[in-house]
mmCIF file with all atom_site columns, all heavy atoms in Angstrom:
data_model
loop_
_atom_site.group_PDB
_atom_site.id
_atom_site.type_symbol
_atom_site.label_atom_id
_atom_site.label_alt_id
_atom_site.label_comp_id
_atom_site.label_asym_id
_atom_site.label_entity_id
_atom_site.label_seq_id
_atom_site.pdbx_PDB_ins_code
_atom_site.Cartn_x
_atom_site.Cartn_y
_atom_site.Cartn_z
_atom_site.occupancy
_atom_site.B_iso_or_equiv
_atom_site.pdbx_formal_charge
_atom_site.auth_seq_id
_atom_site.auth_comp_id
_atom_site.auth_asym_id
_atom_site.auth_atom_id
_atom_site.pdbx_PDB_model_num
ATOM 1   N N   . MET W 1 165 ? 60.805 -89.812 103.435 1.00 0.00 ? 165 MET W N   1
ATOM 2   C CA  . MET W 1 165 ? 62.200 -90.193 103.630 1.00 0.00 ? 165 MET W CA  1
ATOM 3   C C   . MET W 1 165 ? 62.738 -89.329 104.776 1.00 0.00 ? 165 MET W C   1
ATOM 4   O O   . MET W 1 165 ? 62.145 -88.335 105.141 1.00 0.00 ? 165 MET W O   1
ATOM 5   C CB  . MET W 1 165 ? 63.036 -89.941 102.378 1.00 0.00 ? 165 MET W CB  1
ATOM 6   C CG  . MET W 1 165 ? 62.530 -90.621 101.140 1.00 0.00 ? 165 MET W CG  1
ATOM 7   S SD  . MET W 1 165 ? 62.554 -92.407 101.276 1.00 0.00 ? 165 MET W SD  1
ATOM 8   C CE  . MET W 1 165 ? 64.288 -92.704 101.095 1.00 0.00 ? 165 MET W CE  1
ATOM 9   N N   . ASN W 1 166 ? 63.867 -89.738 105.283 1.00 0.00 ? 166 ASN W N   1
ATOM 10  C CA  . ASN W 1 166 ? 64.460 -88.839 106.276 1.00 0.00 ? 166 ASN W CA  1
ATOM 11  C C   . ASN W 1 166 ? 65.944 -88.645 106.010 1.00 0.00 ? 166 ASN W C   1
ATOM 12  O O   . ASN W 1 166 ? 66.771 -88.933 106.862 1.00 0.00 ? 166 ASN W O   1
ATOM 13  C CB  . ASN W 1 166 ? 64.194 -89.304 107.712 1.00 0.00 ? 166 ASN W CB  1
ATOM 14  C CG  . ASN W 1 166 ? 64.476 -90.789 107.844 1.00 0.00 ? 166 ASN W CG  1
ATOM 15  O OD1 . ASN W 1 166 ? 64.874 -91.423 106.868 1.00 0.00 ? 166 ASN W OD1 1
ATOM 16  N ND2 . ASN W 1 166 ? 64.314 -91.347 109.022 1.00 0.00 ? 166 ASN W ND2 1
ATOM 17  N N   . CYS W 1 167 ? 66.234 -88.167 104.800 1.00 0.00 ? 167 CYS W N   1
ATOM 18  C CA  . CYS W 1 167 ? 67.607 -87.791 104.468 1.00 0.00 ? 167 CYS W CA  1
ATOM 19  C C   . CYS W 1 167 ? 68.075 -86.844 105.569 1.00 0.00 ? 167 CYS W C   1
ATOM 20  O O   . CYS W 1 167 ? 67.362 -85.889 105.904 1.00 0.00 ? 167 CYS W O   1
ATOM 21  C CB  . CYS W 1 167 ? 67.658 -87.112 103.110 1.00 0.00 ? 167 CYS W CB  1
ATOM 22  S SG  . CYS W 1 167 ? 66.961 -88.130 101.800 1.00 0.00 ? 167 CYS W SG  1
ATOM 23  N N   . THR W 1 168 ? 69.250 -87.108 106.123 1.00 0.00 ? 168 THR W N   1
ATOM 24  C CA  . THR W 1 168 ? 69.602 -86.453 107.386 1.00 0.00 ? 168 THR W CA  1
ATOM 25  C C   . THR W 1 168 ? 69.869 -84.955 107.248 1.00 0.00 ? 168 THR W C   1
ATOM 26  O O   . THR W 1 168 ? 69.882 -84.237 108.233 1.00 0.00 ? 168 THR W O   1
ATOM 27  C CB  . THR W 1 168 ? 70.829 -87.134 108.013 1.00 0.00 ? 168 THR W CB  1
ATOM 28  O OG1 . THR W 1 168 ? 71.885 -87.156 107.039 1.00 0.00 ? 168 THR W OG1 1
ATOM 29  C CG2 . THR W 1 168 ? 70.534 -88.556 108.447 1.00 0.00 ? 168 THR W CG2 1
ATOM 30  N N   . TYR W 1 169 ? 70.122 -84.496 106.006 1.00 0.00 ? 169 TYR W N   1
ATOM 31  C CA  . TYR W 1 169 ? 70.434 -83.077 105.790 1.00 0.00 ? 169 TYR W CA  1
ATOM 32  C C   . TYR W 1 169 ? 69.195 -82.245 105.510 1.00 0.00 ? 169 TYR W C   1
ATOM 33  O O   . TYR W 1 169 ? 69.270 -81.024 105.452 1.00 0.00 ? 169 TYR W O   1
ATOM 34  C CB  . TYR W 1 169 ? 71.381 -82.934 104.570 1.00 0.00 ? 169 TYR W CB  1
ATOM 35  C CG  . TYR W 1 169 ? 70.880 -83.682 103.362 1.00 0.00 ? 169 TYR W CG  1
ATOM 36  C CD1 . TYR W 1 169 ? 69.890 -83.142 102.550 1.00 0.00 ? 169 TYR W CD1 1
ATOM 37  C CD2 . TYR W 1 169 ? 71.359 -84.948 103.052 1.00 0.00 ? 169 TYR W CD2 1
ATOM 38  C CE1 . TYR W 1 169 ? 69.394 -83.845 101.461 1.00 0.00 ? 169 TYR W CE1 1
ATOM 39  C CE2 . TYR W 1 169 ? 70.879 -85.657 101.968 1.00 0.00 ? 169 TYR W CE2 1
ATOM 40  C CZ  . TYR W 1 169 ? 69.896 -85.096 101.182 1.00 0.00 ? 169 TYR W CZ  1
ATOM 41  O OH  . TYR W 1 169 ? 69.396 -85.798 100.114 1.00 0.00 ? 169 TYR W OH  1
ATOM 42  N N   . CYS W 1 170 ? 68.020 -82.901 105.307 1.00 0.00 ? 170 CYS W N   1
ATOM 43  C CA  . CYS W 1 170 ? 66.948 -82.238 104.553 1.00 0.00 ? 170 CYS W CA  1
ATOM 44  C C   . CYS W 1 170 ? 65.800 -81.752 105.427 1.00 0.00 ? 170 CYS W C   1
ATOM 45  O O   . CYS W 1 170 ? 65.288 -82.476 106.284 1.00 0.00 ? 170 CYS W O   1
ATOM 46  C CB  . CYS W 1 170 ? 66.419 -83.188 103.494 1.00 0.00 ? 170 CYS W CB  1
ATOM 47  S SG  . CYS W 1 170 ? 65.193 -82.421 102.426 1.00 0.00 ? 170 CYS W SG  1
ATOM 48  N N   . ILE W 1 171 ? 65.339 -80.543 105.141 1.00 0.00 ? 171 ILE W N   1
ATOM 49  C CA  . ILE W 1 171 ? 64.273 -79.933 105.931 1.00 0.00 ? 171 ILE W CA  1
ATOM 50  C C   . ILE W 1 171 ? 62.893 -80.156 105.289 1.00 0.00 ? 171 ILE W C   1
ATOM 51  O O   . ILE W 1 171 ? 61.865 -79.885 105.916 1.00 0.00 ? 171 ILE W O   1
ATOM 52  C CB  . ILE W 1 171 ? 64.569 -78.419 106.091 1.00 0.00 ? 171 ILE W CB  1
ATOM 53  C CG1 . ILE W 1 171 ? 63.827 -77.861 107.299 1.00 0.00 ? 171 ILE W CG1 1
ATOM 54  C CG2 . ILE W 1 171 ? 64.262 -77.654 104.812 1.00 0.00 ? 171 ILE W CG2 1
ATOM 55  C CD1 . ILE W 1 171 ? 64.326 -76.528 107.756 1.00 0.00 ? 171 ILE W CD1 1
ATOM 56  N N   . VAL W 1 172 ? 62.886 -80.672 104.055 1.00 0.00 ? 172 VAL W N   1
ATOM 57  C CA  . VAL W 1 172 ? 61.617 -80.763 103.320 1.00 0.00 ? 172 VAL W CA  1
ATOM 58  C C   . VAL W 1 172 ? 60.543 -81.592 104.040 1.00 0.00 ? 172 VAL W C   1
ATOM 59  O O   . VAL W 1 172 ? 59.375 -81.194 104.070 1.00 0.00 ? 172 VAL W O   1
ATOM 60  C CB  . VAL W 1 172 ? 61.860 -81.275 101.873 1.00 0.00 ? 172 VAL W CB  1
ATOM 61  C CG1 . VAL W 1 172 ? 60.552 -81.573 101.156 1.00 0.00 ? 172 VAL W CG1 1
ATOM 62  C CG2 . VAL W 1 172 ? 62.656 -80.238 101.093 1.00 0.00 ? 172 VAL W CG2 1
ATOM 63  N N   . PRO W 1 173 ? 60.892 -82.737 104.666 1.00 0.00 ? 173 PRO W N   1
ATOM 64  C CA  . PRO W 1 173 ? 59.828 -83.466 105.374 1.00 0.00 ? 173 PRO W CA  1
ATOM 65  C C   . PRO W 1 173 ? 59.163 -82.608 106.463 1.00 0.00 ? 173 PRO W C   1
ATOM 66  O O   . PRO W 1 173 ? 57.974 -82.784 106.741 1.00 0.00 ? 173 PRO W O   1
ATOM 67  C CB  . PRO W 1 173 ? 60.569 -84.663 105.985 1.00 0.00 ? 173 PRO W CB  1
ATOM 68  C CG  . PRO W 1 173 ? 61.728 -84.882 105.063 1.00 0.00 ? 173 PRO W CG  1
ATOM 69  C CD  . PRO W 1 173 ? 62.151 -83.498 104.653 1.00 0.00 ? 173 PRO W CD  1
ATOM 70  N N   . THR W 1 174 ? 59.923 -81.683 107.060 1.00 0.00 ? 174 THR W N   1
ATOM 71  C CA  . THR W 1 174 ? 59.327 -80.781 108.050 1.00 0.00 ? 174 THR W CA  1
ATOM 72  C C   . THR W 1 174 ? 58.442 -79.741 107.382 1.00 0.00 ? 174 THR W C   1
ATOM 73  O O   . THR W 1 174 ? 57.349 -79.434 107.862 1.00 0.00 ? 174 THR W O   1
ATOM 74  C CB  . THR W 1 174 ? 60.441 -80.022 108.826 1.00 0.00 ? 174 THR W CB  1
ATOM 75  O OG1 . THR W 1 174 ? 61.360 -80.983 109.314 1.00 0.00 ? 174 THR W OG1 1
ATOM 76  C CG2 . THR W 1 174 ? 59.885 -79.196 109.953 1.00 0.00 ? 174 THR W CG2 1
ATOM 77  N N   . THR W 1 175 ? 58.911 -79.186 106.280 1.00 0.00 ? 175 THR W N   1
ATOM 78  C CA  . THR W 1 175 ? 58.140 -78.086 105.686 1.00 0.00 ? 175 THR W CA  1
ATOM 79  C C   . THR W 1 175 ? 56.936 -78.581 104.899 1.00 0.00 ? 175 THR W C   1
ATOM 80  O O   . THR W 1 175 ? 55.942 -77.878 104.777 1.00 0.00 ? 175 THR W O   1
ATOM 81  C CB  . THR W 1 175 ? 59.008 -77.231 104.743 1.00 0.00 ? 175 THR W CB  1
ATOM 82  O OG1 . THR W 1 175 ? 59.468 -78.050 103.664 1.00 0.00 ? 175 THR W OG1 1
ATOM 83  C CG2 . THR W 1 175 ? 60.211 -76.650 105.457 1.00 0.00 ? 175 THR W CG2 1
ATOM 84  N N   . ARG W 1 176 ? 57.030 -79.792 104.361 1.00 0.00 ? 176 ARG W N   1
ATOM 85  C CA  . ARG W 1 176 ? 55.975 -80.268 103.457 1.00 0.00 ? 176 ARG W CA  1
ATOM 86  C C   . ARG W 1 176 ? 55.117 -81.385 104.045 1.00 0.00 ? 176 ARG W C   1
ATOM 87  O O   . ARG W 1 176 ? 54.144 -81.809 103.427 1.00 0.00 ? 176 ARG W O   1
ATOM 88  C CB  . ARG W 1 176 ? 56.602 -80.754 102.149 1.00 0.00 ? 176 ARG W CB  1
ATOM 89  C CG  . ARG W 1 176 ? 57.201 -79.632 101.327 1.00 0.00 ? 176 ARG W CG  1
ATOM 90  C CD  . ARG W 1 176 ? 56.170 -79.123 100.348 1.00 0.00 ? 176 ARG W CD  1
ATOM 91  N NE  . ARG W 1 176 ? 56.575 -77.868 99.737  1.00 0.00 ? 176 ARG W NE  1
ATOM 92  C CZ  . ARG W 1 176 ? 55.837 -77.230 98.853  1.00 0.00 ? 176 ARG W CZ  1
ATOM 93  N NH1 . ARG W 1 176 ? 54.695 -77.710 98.469  1.00 0.00 ? 176 ARG W NH1 1
ATOM 94  N NH2 . ARG W 1 176 ? 56.243 -76.092 98.362  1.00 0.00 ? 176 ARG W NH2 1
ATOM 95  N N   . GLY W 1 177 ? 55.535 -81.915 105.178 1.00 0.00 ? 177 GLY W N   1
ATOM 96  C CA  . GLY W 1 177 ? 54.703 -82.927 105.842 1.00 0.00 ? 177 GLY W CA  1
ATOM 97  C C   . GLY W 1 177 ? 54.851 -84.330 105.262 1.00 0.00 ? 177 GLY W C   1
ATOM 98  O O   . GLY W 1 177 ? 55.734 -84.593 104.444 1.00 0.00 ? 177 GLY W O   1
ATOM 99  N N   . ARG W 1 178 ? 53.984 -85.235 105.730 1.00 0.00 ? 178 ARG W N   1
ATOM 100 C CA  . ARG W 1 178 ? 54.028 -86.623 105.292 1.00 0.00 ? 178 ARG W CA  1
ATOM 101 C C   . ARG W 1 178 ? 53.563 -86.731 103.838 1.00 0.00 ? 178 ARG W C   1
ATOM 102 O O   . ARG W 1 178 ? 52.846 -85.867 103.341 1.00 0.00 ? 178 ARG W O   1
ATOM 103 C CB  . ARG W 1 178 ? 53.115 -87.494 106.179 1.00 0.00 ? 178 ARG W CB  1
ATOM 104 C CG  . ARG W 1 178 ? 53.406 -87.434 107.656 1.00 0.00 ? 178 ARG W CG  1
ATOM 105 C CD  . ARG W 1 178 ? 54.699 -88.117 108.040 1.00 0.00 ? 178 ARG W CD  1
ATOM 106 N NE  . ARG W 1 178 ? 54.659 -89.565 107.866 1.00 0.00 ? 178 ARG W NE  1
ATOM 107 C CZ  . ARG W 1 178 ? 55.742 -90.341 107.920 1.00 0.00 ? 178 ARG W CZ  1
ATOM 108 N NH1 . ARG W 1 178 ? 56.943 -89.813 108.111 1.00 0.00 ? 178 ARG W NH1 1
ATOM 109 N NH2 . ARG W 1 178 ? 55.631 -91.642 107.788 1.00 0.00 ? 178 ARG W NH2 1
ATOM 110 N N   . GLU W 1 179 ? 53.985 -87.827 103.202 1.00 0.00 ? 179 GLU W N   1
ATOM 111 C CA  . GLU W 1 179 ? 53.641 -88.074 101.802 1.00 0.00 ? 179 GLU W CA  1
ATOM 112 C C   . GLU W 1 179 ? 52.134 -88.284 101.637 1.00 0.00 ? 179 GLU W C   1
ATOM 113 O O   . GLU W 1 179 ? 51.545 -89.116 102.326 1.00 0.00 ? 179 GLU W O   1
ATOM 114 C CB  . GLU W 1 179 ? 54.353 -89.371 101.426 1.00 0.00 ? 179 GLU W CB  1
ATOM 115 C CG  . GLU W 1 179 ? 54.933 -89.436 100.063 1.00 0.00 ? 179 GLU W CG  1
ATOM 116 C CD  . GLU W 1 179 ? 55.789 -90.681 99.983  1.00 0.00 ? 179 GLU W CD  1
ATOM 117 O OE1 . GLU W 1 179 ? 55.230 -91.764 99.740  1.00 0.00 ? 179 GLU W OE1 1
ATOM 118 O OE2 . GLU W 1 179 ? 56.997 -90.564 100.217 1.00 0.00 ? 179 GLU W OE2 1
ATOM 119 N N   . ARG W 1 180 ? 51.531 -87.540 100.725 1.00 0.00 ? 180 ARG W N   1
ATOM 120 C CA  . ARG W 1 180 ? 50.102 -87.707 100.430 1.00 0.00 ? 180 ARG W CA  1
ATOM 121 C C   . ARG W 1 180 ? 49.896 -87.626 98.919  1.00 0.00 ? 180 ARG W C   1
ATOM 122 O O   . ARG W 1 180 ? 50.266 -86.636 98.290  1.00 0.00 ? 180 ARG W O   1
ATOM 123 C CB  . ARG W 1 180 ? 49.283 -86.569 101.062 1.00 0.00 ? 180 ARG W CB  1
ATOM 124 C CG  . ARG W 1 180 ? 49.128 -86.572 102.551 1.00 0.00 ? 180 ARG W CG  1
ATOM 125 C CD  . ARG W 1 180 ? 49.972 -85.483 103.230 1.00 0.00 ? 180 ARG W CD  1
ATOM 126 N NE  . ARG W 1 180 ? 49.650 -84.147 102.826 1.00 0.00 ? 180 ARG W NE  1
ATOM 127 C CZ  . ARG W 1 180 ? 50.536 -83.156 102.792 1.00 0.00 ? 180 ARG W CZ  1
ATOM 128 N NH1 . ARG W 1 180 ? 51.800 -83.332 103.133 1.00 0.00 ? 180 ARG W NH1 1
ATOM 129 N NH2 . ARG W 1 180 ? 50.168 -81.953 102.415 1.00 0.00 ? 180 ARG W NH2 1
#
Side-chain angles (χ1 to χ4, degrees):
M165 304 297 285
N166 47 1
C167 304
T168 54
Y169 50 80
C170 185
I171 202 164
V172 172
T174 308
T175 62
R176 292 268 167 180
R178 304 289 292 168
E179 218 170 83
R180 288 107 60 210

